[in-house]
Amino acid sequence: MTAPDPMLVFDRDVVRRRRERAAASWDGAAFLKREVAQRLVERLDDVRRRFPLALDIGCHGGEVAAALRLADGTMRGGVETLVSSDLALGFACRAAAHGPALVADEEALPLRPASVDLVLSALALHWVNDLPGALVQVCRALKPDGLFLAALLGGETLWQLRRALAQAESDVEGGLSPRVSPFADLRDAAGLLQRAGFAMPVADAETIDVRYPDALALMHDLRAMAESNAVRGRRSSLARRETLARAAAIYAQQHGGGDGRVAATFEVLYLHGWAPHAGQPQPLRQGTAASRLADALGTTERPAGEKAGR
């Protein structure tokens, strides 16, 4: 026997099959993707430059393309041509209604070095096993001074569901198993961009709160969005009815509102980085600053180790 590869957190075959299934009835489950795609594209409004060729990684139903399209048929954000890609053929076919589309694995992008001006991705990269490797591929595919903008689910996503399922499984079955997939942490996001070779990396986060009739309705939506657990070490058998019922009861008790509905939190991490270029702003060498920080702050500079008086 060979030991399992610790880098293979997700079962990518399962991810692909679930996306294919979700594509067949996507319109009723696309609300979160549409919202995040709109917020991601709005970030291009502050960028004053043109992007002749852009790529959307993990396009789902073409929500990024729809958010880019203006009423006159042109695209916002300086984008001239957008190519959509997805792991699932069904989603690539849906996105083809908005322009060129192809089937491509986020872990092995079929891109030549320095071939695209802009790469966008909304709610797809959190299913990648080797996220640093995927970011390296994106950085290499961008032309010098090309831009990468992505949104992926963060570590605080569905924290209410995690706790309810963990407590219910412990109460009913006397143990714990992976029930919700792990997500990236904001503290590590900017560092991942820097390690991948991006210049001026920035990462920030937003939370989107959605209210559901109950926890079972939330789990139904996650399945419809192809966002249910795909961890390789998950249980192969279905969850017990008693466990799900107990989790729903715990969820309602701990996170229910006066209207009888429950809250579900989605943390969205936004990544922003540029492919290196000689014309980009560069940090000054140590000791070459023209101004003192103490002057800017209106304070007195003291040698290291000296205690300030009262």
Side-chain angles (χ1 to χ4, degrees):
M1 292 181 61
T2 58
D5 189 339
M7 290 295 294
L8 298 180
V9 178
F10 304 114
D11 188 327
R12 294 285 292 173
D13 286 337
V14 168
V15 172
R16 179 186 55 78
R17 290 197 301 269
R18 288 178 178 174
R19 283 207 203 166
E20 292 288 7
R21 182 184 63 203
S25 56
W26 179 241
D27 291 339
F31 71 94
L32 184 63
K33 172 78 176 196
R34 281 194 294 265
E35 178 64 26
V36 173
Q38 185 64 40
R39 296 187 185 193
L40 183 69
V41 167
E42 285 175 355
R43 294 174 177 240
L44 281 174
D45 293 341
D46 297 327
V47 181
R48 297 291 181 261
R49 56 163 296 177
R50 308 295 299 174
F51 298 104
L53 181 60
L55 174 68
D56 175 18
I57 298 176
C59 61
H60 291 83
E63 287 73 25
V64 166
L68 282 170
R69 189 72 59 185
L70 297 173
D72 62 1
T74 62
M75 283 186 277
R76 66 197 288 186
V79 176
E80 296 176 12
T81 299
L82 176 71
V83 177
S84 300
S85 71
D86 200 276
L87 181 64
L89 174 61
F91 275 138
C93 290
R94 277 182 168 268
H98 300 276
L102 57 93
V103 176
D105 190 334
E106 298 95 341
E107 294 189 344
L109 295 171
L111 299 174
R112 296 193 310 271
S115 59
V116 294
D117 303 281
L118 169 68
V119 173
L120 299 155
S121 181
L123 299 187
L125 293 178
H126 53 271
W127 289 117
V128 170
N129 280 307
D130 183 10
L131 182 55
L135 295 179
V136 168
Q137 291 184 62
V138 170
C139 191
R140 289 174 179 170
L142 284 168
K143 295 177 183 178
D145 207 30
L147 176 61
F148 172 59
L149 278 177
L152 59 157
L153 294 179
E156 293 302 310
T157 294
L158 301 176
W159 64 269
Q160 303 98 327
L161 182 61
R162 294 170 192 270
R163 293 183 183 179
L165 284 171
Q167 184 177 336
E169 192 167 21
S170 179
D171 292 347
V172 176
E173 303 180 36
L176 296 176
S177 63
R179 292 290 186 184
V180 180
S181 295
F183 300 114
D185 193 295
L186 177 62
R187 291 173 296 181
D188 301 326
L192 289 175
L193 287 171
Q194 192 169 31
R195 283 173 51 195
F198 286 97
M200 298 176 285
V202 177
D204 62 279
E206 296 178 345
T207 57
I208 298 176
D209 292 317
V210 183
R211 301 192 69 79
Y212 285 93
D214 51 46
L216 297 180
L218 165 61
M219 287 185 261
H220 179 273
D221 244 14
L222 294 175
R223 176 181 170 86
M225 292 189 290
E227 295 292 345
S228 51
N229 186 13
V231 173
R232 290 172 64 89
R234 71 194 184 284
R235 284 189 179 181
S236 58
S237 59
L238 296 175
R240 290 189 193 176
R241 289 186 178 181
E242 300 95 321
T243 303
L244 293 179
R246 176 63 177 150
I250 293 170
Y251 205 124
Q253 180 182 22
Q254 296 181 352
H255 308 293
D259 58 356
R261 301 172 73 85
V262 298
T265 296
F266 294 89
E267 182 188 33
V268 183
L269 309 184
Y270 293 91
L271 309 185
H272 181 138
W274 295 86
H277 183 264
Q280 292 169 344
Q282 302 293 324
L284 294 173
R285 296 192 311 276
Q286 186 175 359
T288 61
S291 303
R292 296 167 63 249
L293 179 60
D295 293 337
L297 298 177
T299 61
T300 301
E301 183 176 3
R302 298 178 181 276
E306 181 180 328
K307 294 183 178 180
R310 291 185 178 274

